[in-house]
Amino acid sequence: LASANRRAARLRALEADEAAAEGWAEAQRRALARAAKAELACSELGDERPLSACAFSGGGGGGGDVLVTAAWSGAVKVWDRQGDELKRSAAWLASAERVTGVALHPEACAGGGGSNAARLMTASADGTATLWSMSGQSRATLKGHLARLARCAWHPSGALVATASYDKTWRLWDVETGAELLLQEGHSRGVYCVAFQPDGALCATGGMDELVRVWDVRTGRCVHVTKGHARPVLACDFSPDGFSLASGSEDNTVRTWDLRRRMCTATLPAHVNLISALKYSPEADGAVLATASFDGTAALWSSRDGRLVRRLQAHEGKVTDIAVDAQGRVATVAHDRTVKLWSPPP
């Protein structure tokens, strides 16, 4: 009798696993089908100079009710997303030089949640990063880098931020105190992009030395190096499950990497110019990988098989950054000074 009960329990567990796998596959199919029908929903003039960066609220997993854009002028604008429309809610001059990257606290929300706490981060060509409230009040300035900054990222815990710099280092900072916690060397040329694994255990950096390095955030130790790109790496992002990493390069390709097997799983000839940014969609465990390029387009790809799902064409200049929210909406910014919102059907 006990043996029969064990067999029945194993059978029930197997059926549950099969049902879960089938549900996951169906969610991925729906996400890809929606992405294939994404259309331009909104276009706004973002600044009088080219736009350089954008980020949705929610740390990649939220509702995307706030979009932040930044420009060469040093200006930052906060947009409230109302359906498929963007309404500017705040704007300020964040730097006297170009803003090169923006990041939002995982709990950032429309209206700032009634808080003056640090919820928004900017990186600047002047070599500093600044933490802001959602209304534009400066909370801390992070100084230490010896050259201009590139991209930045907010840790999923909300307590840490990271900056990438042309001084060949990336640094980890404490949000509450503004203290520098880690100064990590390893790249032989400037570090351009930085991203955190969704659980916050790992950090990835892409450099002008054509490498992507993966770091243990707790110890600061480099635990893996990916090699394959033939030109500088300008973009990287972890999949929502944390097992895969995507990188984009000046060699016009996107590569995906299996972190468990430590190998490249796909190389996509994604664009006809450099890859400026990429992001996994939070929807359906990253079923969609979104890319932006200096060829003036953005693209949506199936992360499962590398298939092109949708090419987004409306900008009249180099696309510099891309963001994706949990409902599959895509925001792009470009040298044509516009921010565009692309929406899939419900």
mmCIF file of all heavy atoms in Angstrom, residues 41-83:
data_model
loop_
_atom_site.group_PDB
_atom_site.id
_atom_site.type_symbol
_atom_site.label_atom_id
_atom_site.label_comp_id
_atom_site.label_asym_id
_atom_site.label_seq_id
_atom_site.Cartn_x
_atom_site.Cartn_y
_atom_site.Cartn_z
ATOM 1 N N ALA A 41 2.223 53.824 -30.400
ATOM 2 C CA ALA A 41 1.045 54.359 -29.719
ATOM 3 C C ALA A 41 1.185 55.835 -29.389
ATOM 4 O O ALA A 41 0.200 56.556 -29.303
ATOM 5 C CB ALA A 41 0.791 53.572 -28.433
ATOM 6 N N CYS A 42 2.421 56.294 -29.194
ATOM 7 C CA CYS A 42 2.621 57.664 -28.728
ATOM 8 C C CYS A 42 4.031 58.112 -29.084
ATOM 9 O O CYS A 42 4.977 57.321 -29.022
ATOM 10 C CB CYS A 42 2.410 57.710 -27.206
ATOM 11 S SG CYS A 42 2.739 59.304 -26.430
ATOM 12 N N SER A 43 4.167 59.378 -29.471
ATOM 13 C CA SER A 43 5.476 59.960 -29.730
ATOM 14 C C SER A 43 5.487 61.369 -29.171
ATOM 15 O O SER A 43 4.583 62.164 -29.455
ATOM 16 C CB SER A 43 5.775 59.981 -31.234
ATOM 17 O OG SER A 43 7.048 60.547 -31.494
ATOM 18 N N GLU A 44 6.494 61.684 -28.354
ATOM 19 C CA GLU A 44 6.604 62.993 -27.730
ATOM 20 C C GLU A 44 8.001 63.559 -27.944
ATOM 21 O O GLU A 44 8.987 62.805 -27.943
ATOM 22 C CB GLU A 44 6.330 62.896 -26.226
ATOM 23 C CG GLU A 44 4.926 62.437 -25.858
ATOM 24 C CD GLU A 44 3.864 63.489 -26.116
ATOM 25 O OE1 GLU A 44 4.234 64.679 -26.263
ATOM 26 O OE2 GLU A 44 2.671 63.128 -26.160
ATOM 27 N N LEU A 45 8.076 64.868 -28.113
ATOM 28 C CA LEU A 45 9.370 65.530 -28.161
ATOM 29 C C LEU A 45 9.945 65.527 -26.754
ATOM 30 O O LEU A 45 9.369 66.077 -25.828
ATOM 31 C CB LEU A 45 9.217 66.959 -28.672
ATOM 32 C CG LEU A 45 10.526 67.741 -28.859
ATOM 33 C CD1 LEU A 45 11.390 67.091 -29.941
ATOM 34 C CD2 LEU A 45 10.228 69.196 -29.199
ATOM 35 N N GLY A 46 11.107 64.894 -26.598
ATOM 36 C CA GLY A 46 11.660 64.715 -25.263
ATOM 37 C C GLY A 46 12.596 65.810 -24.819
ATOM 38 O O GLY A 46 12.778 66.034 -23.624
ATOM 39 N N ASP A 47 13.212 66.513 -25.783
ATOM 40 C CA ASP A 47 14.163 67.549 -25.426
ATOM 41 C C ASP A 47 14.558 68.283 -26.699
ATOM 42 O O ASP A 47 14.232 67.856 -27.812
ATOM 43 C CB ASP A 47 15.408 66.940 -24.758
ATOM 44 C CG ASP A 47 16.238 67.953 -23.990
ATOM 45 O OD1 ASP A 47 15.770 68.408 -22.928
ATOM 46 O OD2 ASP A 47 17.327 68.301 -24.461
ATOM 47 N N GLU A 48 15.278 69.389 -26.537
ATOM 48 C CA GLU A 48 15.766 70.114 -27.708
ATOM 49 C C GLU A 48 17.079 69.542 -28.227
ATOM 50 O O GLU A 48 17.562 69.934 -29.285
ATOM 51 C CB GLU A 48 15.960 71.589 -27.361
ATOM 52 C CG GLU A 48 16.940 71.835 -26.231
ATOM 53 C CD GLU A 48 16.997 73.299 -25.807
ATOM 54 O OE1 GLU A 48 16.041 74.030 -26.110
ATOM 55 O OE2 GLU A 48 18.003 73.674 -25.180
ATOM 56 N N ARG A 49 17.666 68.600 -27.471
ATOM 57 C CA ARG A 49 18.877 67.914 -27.891
ATOM 58 C C ARG A 49 18.624 66.399 -27.906
ATOM 59 O O ARG A 49 17.621 65.925 -27.371
ATOM 60 C CB ARG A 49 20.043 68.255 -26.959
ATOM 61 C CG ARG A 49 20.407 69.749 -26.938
ATOM 62 C CD ARG A 49 21.838 69.961 -26.537
ATOM 63 N NE ARG A 49 22.761 69.393 -27.511
ATOM 64 C CZ ARG A 49 24.050 69.101 -27.241
ATOM 65 N NH1 ARG A 49 24.540 69.339 -26.024
ATOM 66 N NH2 ARG A 49 24.834 68.576 -28.160
ATOM 67 N N PRO A 50 19.494 65.598 -28.516
ATOM 68 C CA PRO A 50 19.271 64.150 -28.590
ATOM 69 C C PRO A 50 19.037 63.517 -27.225
ATOM 70 O O PRO A 50 19.631 63.920 -26.222
ATOM 71 C CB PRO A 50 20.567 63.639 -29.229
ATOM 72 C CG PRO A 50 21.043 64.785 -30.064
ATOM 73 C CD PRO A 50 20.699 66.010 -29.278
ATOM 74 N N LEU A 51 18.182 62.499 -27.207
ATOM 75 C CA LEU A 51 17.918 61.743 -25.982
ATOM 76 C C LEU A 51 18.918 60.594 -25.869
ATOM 77 O O LEU A 51 19.300 59.985 -26.869
ATOM 78 C CB LEU A 51 16.495 61.199 -25.985
ATOM 79 C CG LEU A 51 15.370 62.244 -26.084
ATOM 80 C CD1 LEU A 51 14.007 61.568 -25.941
ATOM 81 C CD2 LEU A 51 15.524 63.336 -25.045
ATOM 82 N N SER A 52 19.320 60.309 -24.651
ATOM 83 C CA SER A 52 20.400 59.350 -24.424
ATOM 84 C C SER A 52 20.007 58.124 -23.624
ATOM 85 O O SER A 52 20.686 57.092 -23.710
ATOM 86 C CB SER A 52 21.561 60.046 -23.699
ATOM 87 O OG SER A 52 21.090 60.669 -22.504
ATOM 88 N N ALA A 53 18.931 58.196 -22.835
ATOM 89 C CA ALA A 53 18.613 57.081 -21.946
ATOM 90 C C ALA A 53 17.154 57.112 -21.541
ATOM 91 O O ALA A 53 16.506 58.170 -21.554
ATOM 92 C CB ALA A 53 19.509 57.130 -20.693
ATOM 93 N N CYS A 54 16.627 55.939 -21.159
ATOM 94 C CA CYS A 54 15.254 55.849 -20.655
ATOM 95 C C CYS A 54 15.134 54.640 -19.745
ATOM 96 O O CYS A 54 15.929 53.698 -19.820
ATOM 97 C CB CYS A 54 14.238 55.764 -21.801
ATOM 98 S SG CYS A 54 14.351 54.278 -22.821
ATOM 99 N N ALA A 55 14.125 54.670 -18.858
ATOM 100 C CA ALA A 55 13.879 53.549 -17.946
ATOM 101 C C ALA A 55 12.431 53.573 -17.491
ATOM 102 O O ALA A 55 11.880 54.644 -17.216
ATOM 103 C CB ALA A 55 14.806 53.621 -16.734
ATOM 104 N N PHE A 56 11.819 52.399 -17.419
ATOM 105 C CA PHE A 56 10.479 52.253 -16.853
ATOM 106 C C PHE A 56 10.580 51.983 -15.356
ATOM 107 O O PHE A 56 11.568 51.422 -14.871
ATOM 108 C CB PHE A 56 9.754 51.061 -17.489
ATOM 109 C CG PHE A 56 8.912 51.403 -18.692
ATOM 110 C CD1 PHE A 56 9.143 50.767 -19.901
ATOM 111 C CD2 PHE A 56 7.884 52.323 -18.612
ATOM 112 C CE1 PHE A 56 8.371 51.054 -21.013
ATOM 113 C CE2 PHE A 56 7.103 52.622 -19.713
ATOM 114 C CZ PHE A 56 7.347 51.982 -20.925
ATOM 115 N N SER A 57 9.539 52.362 -14.627
ATOM 116 C CA SER A 57 9.464 52.018 -13.203
ATOM 117 C C SER A 57 9.204 50.533 -13.045
ATOM 118 O O SER A 57 8.808 49.840 -13.977
ATOM 119 C CB SER A 57 8.348 52.814 -12.535
ATOM 120 O OG SER A 57 7.088 52.497 -13.133
ATOM 121 N N GLY A 58 9.450 50.047 -11.837
ATOM 122 C CA GLY A 58 9.156 48.660 -11.532
ATOM 123 C C GLY A 58 10.353 47.756 -11.551
ATOM 124 O O GLY A 58 10.217 46.552 -11.356
ATOM 125 N N GLY A 59 11.557 48.300 -11.795
ATOM 126 C CA GLY A 59 12.751 47.476 -11.793
ATOM 127 C C GLY A 59 12.683 46.338 -12.788
ATOM 128 O O GLY A 59 13.280 45.295 -12.605
ATOM 129 N N GLY A 60 11.930 46.562 -13.887
ATOM 130 C CA GLY A 60 11.789 45.517 -14.889
ATOM 131 C C GLY A 60 10.586 44.633 -14.640
ATOM 132 O O GLY A 60 10.104 43.975 -15.539
ATOM 133 N N GLY A 61 10.033 44.641 -13.408
ATOM 134 C CA GLY A 61 8.930 43.742 -13.134
ATOM 135 C C GLY A 61 7.651 44.452 -12.745
ATOM 136 O O GLY A 61 6.643 43.817 -12.492
ATOM 137 N N GLY A 62 7.649 45.774 -12.694
ATOM 138 C CA GLY A 62 6.479 46.508 -12.270
ATOM 139 C C GLY A 62 5.571 46.874 -13.407
ATOM 140 O O GLY A 62 5.702 46.421 -14.532
ATOM 141 N N GLY A 63 4.627 47.752 -13.113
ATOM 142 C CA GLY A 63 3.614 48.087 -14.095
ATOM 143 C C GLY A 63 4.039 49.095 -15.128
ATOM 144 O O GLY A 63 3.344 49.314 -16.107
ATOM 145 N N GLY A 64 5.185 49.724 -14.943
ATOM 146 C CA GLY A 64 5.640 50.687 -15.922
ATOM 147 C C GLY A 64 4.787 51.938 -15.978
ATOM 148 O O GLY A 64 4.570 52.495 -17.052
ATOM 149 N N ASP A 65 4.278 52.411 -14.808
ATOM 150 C CA ASP A 65 3.436 53.601 -14.817
ATOM 151 C C ASP A 65 4.258 54.881 -14.879
ATOM 152 O O ASP A 65 3.701 55.966 -15.039
ATOM 153 C CB ASP A 65 2.511 53.628 -13.593
ATOM 154 C CG ASP A 65 3.264 53.592 -12.269
ATOM 155 O OD1 ASP A 65 4.457 53.247 -12.278
ATOM 156 O OD2 ASP A 65 2.647 53.908 -11.239
ATOM 157 N N VAL A 66 5.594 54.758 -14.774
ATOM 158 C CA VAL A 66 6.483 55.917 -14.887
ATOM 159 C C VAL A 66 7.578 55.590 -15.897
ATOM 160 O O VAL A 66 8.141 54.493 -15.889
ATOM 161 C CB VAL A 66 7.123 56.271 -13.527
ATOM 162 C CG1 VAL A 66 8.188 57.354 -13.688
ATOM 163 C CG2 VAL A 66 6.067 56.725 -12.541
ATOM 164 N N LEU A 67 7.854 56.561 -16.755
ATOM 165 C CA LEU A 67 8.982 56.462 -17.677
ATOM 166 C C LEU A 67 9.875 57.668 -17.451
ATOM 167 O O LEU A 67 9.384 58.793 -17.338
ATOM 168 C CB LEU A 67 8.494 56.432 -19.125
ATOM 169 C CG LEU A 67 9.588 56.406 -20.204
ATOM 170 C CD1 LEU A 67 10.306 55.057 -20.209
ATOM 171 C CD2 LEU A 67 8.993 56.703 -21.584
ATOM 172 N N VAL A 68 11.167 57.445 -17.383
ATOM 173 C CA VAL A 68 12.134 58.536 -17.236
ATOM 174 C C VAL A 68 12.988 58.590 -18.489
ATOM 175 O O VAL A 68 13.426 57.559 -19.012
ATOM 176 C CB VAL A 68 13.030 58.325 -15.998
ATOM 177 C CG1 VAL A 68 14.138 59.372 -15.949
ATOM 178 C CG2 VAL A 68 12.200 58.383 -14.731
ATOM 179 N N THR A 69 13.228 59.817 -18.995
ATOM 180 C CA THR A 69 14.118 59.999 -20.137
ATOM 181 C C THR A 69 15.189 61.025 -19.781
ATOM 182 O O THR A 69 14.990 61.884 -18.924
ATOM 183 C CB THR A 69 13.354 60.489 -21.379
ATOM 184 O OG1 THR A 69 12.722 61.758 -21.102
ATOM 185 C CG2 THR A 69 12.283 59.486 -21.794
ATOM 186 N N ALA A 70 16.330 60.905 -20.456
ATOM 187 C CA ALA A 70 17.434 61.833 -20.223
ATOM 188 C C ALA A 70 18.026 62.242 -21.564
ATOM 189 O O ALA A 70 17.886 61.532 -22.567
ATOM 190 C CB ALA A 70 18.504 61.189 -19.350
ATOM 191 N N ALA A 71 18.737 63.387 -21.561
ATOM 192 C CA ALA A 71 19.194 63.971 -22.822
ATOM 193 C C ALA A 71 20.630 64.463 -22.728
ATOM 194 O O ALA A 71 21.202 64.613 -21.644
ATOM 195 C CB ALA A 71 18.276 65.126 -23.221
ATOM 196 N N TRP A 72 21.202 64.728 -23.911
ATOM 197 C CA TRP A 72 22.533 65.309 -23.994
ATOM 198 C C TRP A 72 22.595 66.660 -23.292
ATOM 199 O O TRP A 72 23.665 67.086 -22.850
ATOM 200 C CB TRP A 72 22.923 65.500 -25.453
ATOM 201 C CG TRP A 72 23.344 64.250 -26.159
ATOM 202 C CD1 TRP A 72 23.212 62.957 -25.724
ATOM 203 C CD2 TRP A 72 23.974 64.185 -27.443
ATOM 204 N NE1 TRP A 72 23.710 62.090 -26.665
ATOM 205 C CE2 TRP A 72 24.190 62.810 -27.728
ATOM 206 C CE3 TRP A 72 24.363 65.137 -28.381
ATOM 207 C CZ2 TRP A 72 24.785 62.390 -28.919
ATOM 208 C CZ3 TRP A 72 24.954 64.712 -29.555
ATOM 209 C CH2 TRP A 72 25.174 63.351 -29.826
ATOM 210 N N SER A 73 21.489 67.338 -23.196
ATOM 211 C CA SER A 73 21.464 68.654 -22.559
ATOM 212 C C SER A 73 21.675 68.582 -21.058
ATOM 213 O O SER A 73 21.874 69.606 -20.405
ATOM 214 C CB SER A 73 20.115 69.335 -22.837
ATOM 215 O OG SER A 73 19.060 68.612 -22.213
ATOM 216 N N GLY A 74 21.599 67.373 -20.491
ATOM 217 C CA GLY A 74 21.665 67.194 -19.045
ATOM 218 C C GLY A 74 20.305 67.181 -18.389
ATOM 219 O O GLY A 74 20.197 67.015 -17.171
ATOM 220 N N ALA A 75 19.250 67.327 -19.189
ATOM 221 C CA ALA A 75 17.889 67.372 -18.646
ATOM 222 C C ALA A 75 17.336 65.970 -18.420
ATOM 223 O O ALA A 75 17.611 65.047 -19.187
ATOM 224 C CB ALA A 75 16.972 68.141 -19.582
ATOM 225 N N VAL A 76 16.536 65.845 -17.372
ATOM 226 C CA VAL A 76 15.800 64.624 -17.072
ATOM 227 C C VAL A 76 14.322 64.956 -17.050
ATOM 228 O O VAL A 76 13.919 65.994 -16.507
ATOM 229 C CB VAL A 76 16.233 64.037 -15.707
ATOM 230 C CG1 VAL A 76 15.273 62.957 -15.242
ATOM 231 C CG2 VAL A 76 17.638 63.482 -15.789
ATOM 232 N N LYS A 77 13.521 64.081 -17.645
ATOM 233 C CA LYS A 77 12.069 64.262 -17.622
ATOM 234 C C LYS A 77 11.404 62.997 -17.109
ATOM 235 O O LYS A 77 11.817 61.887 -17.452
ATOM 236 C CB LYS A 77 11.539 64.619 -19.013
ATOM 237 C CG LYS A 77 11.961 66.006 -19.492
ATOM 238 C CD LYS A 77 11.351 66.333 -20.847
ATOM 239 C CE LYS A 77 11.632 67.794 -21.248
ATOM 240 N NZ LYS A 77 13.051 68.069 -21.456
ATOM 241 N N VAL A 78 10.396 63.193 -16.263
ATOM 242 C CA VAL A 78 9.593 62.094 -15.735
ATOM 243 C C VAL A 78 8.229 62.145 -16.414
ATOM 244 O O VAL A 78 7.574 63.189 -16.427
ATOM 245 C CB VAL A 78 9.430 62.193 -14.203
ATOM 246 C CG1 VAL A 78 8.568 61.049 -13.676
ATOM 247 C CG2 VAL A 78 10.798 62.187 -13.524
ATOM 248 N N TRP A 79 7.824 61.006 -16.982
ATOM 249 C CA TRP A 79 6.550 60.912 -17.702
ATOM 250 C C TRP A 79 5.642 59.919 -16.987
ATOM 251 O O TRP A 79 6.067 58.810 -16.665
ATOM 252 C CB TRP A 79 6.771 60.432 -19.135
ATOM 253 C CG TRP A 79 7.803 61.194 -19.917
ATOM 254 C CD1 TRP A 79 9.161 61.059 -19.832
ATOM 255 C CD2 TRP A 79 7.555 62.207 -20.893
ATOM 256 N NE1 TRP A 79 9.774 61.923 -20.696
ATOM 257 C CE2 TRP A 79 8.829 62.644 -21.372
ATOM 258 C CE3 TRP A 79 6.410 62.791 -21.434
ATOM 259 C CZ2 TRP A 79 8.969 63.627 -22.343
ATOM 260 C CZ3 TRP A 79 6.538 63.757 -22.401
ATOM 261 C CH2 TRP A 79 7.804 64.178 -22.852
ATOM 262 N N ASP A 80 4.407 60.309 -16.731
ATOM 263 C CA ASP A 80 3.406 59.372 -16.228
ATOM 264 C C ASP A 80 2.738 58.707 -17.428
ATOM 265 O O ASP A 80 2.271 59.392 -18.342
ATOM 266 C CB ASP A 80 2.350 60.085 -15.383
ATOM 267 C CG ASP A 80 2.903 60.575 -14.052
ATOM 268 O OD1 ASP A 80 3.986 60.099 -13.664
ATOM 269 O OD2 ASP A 80 2.258 61.428 -13.430
ATOM 270 N N ARG A 81 2.758 57.383 -17.433
ATOM 271 C CA ARG A 81 2.083 56.666 -18.510
ATOM 272 C C ARG A 81 0.616 56.510 -18.154
ATOM 273 O O ARG A 81 0.268 55.895 -17.153
ATOM 274 C CB ARG A 81 2.719 55.292 -18.742
ATOM 275 C CG ARG A 81 2.065 54.539 -19.914
ATOM 276 C CD ARG A 81 2.484 53.104 -19.951
ATOM 277 N NE ARG A 81 2.229 52.414 -18.703
ATOM 278 C CZ ARG A 81 1.025 52.021 -18.295
ATOM 279 N NH1 ARG A 81 -0.045 52.270 -19.032
ATOM 280 N NH2 ARG A 81 0.890 51.400 -17.136
ATOM 281 N N GLN A 82 -0.251 57.068 -18.952
ATOM 282 C CA GLN A 82 -1.696 56.971 -18.760
ATOM 283 C C GLN A 82 -2.274 56.231 -19.955
ATOM 284 O O GLN A 82 -2.481 56.821 -21.022
ATOM 285 C CB GLN A 82 -2.312 58.357 -18.609
ATOM 286 C CG GLN A 82 -1.744 59.131 -17.431
ATOM 287 C CD GLN A 82 -2.206 60.575 -17.365
ATOM 288 O OE1 GLN A 82 -3.035 61.009 -18.170
ATOM 289 N NE2 GLN A 82 -1.695 61.325 -16.404
ATOM 290 N N GLY A 83 -2.487 54.927 -19.777
ATOM 291 C CA GLY A 83 -2.860 54.094 -20.912
ATOM 292 C C GLY A 83 -1.696 54.038 -21.887
ATOM 293 O O GLY A 83 -0.580 53.663 -21.517
#
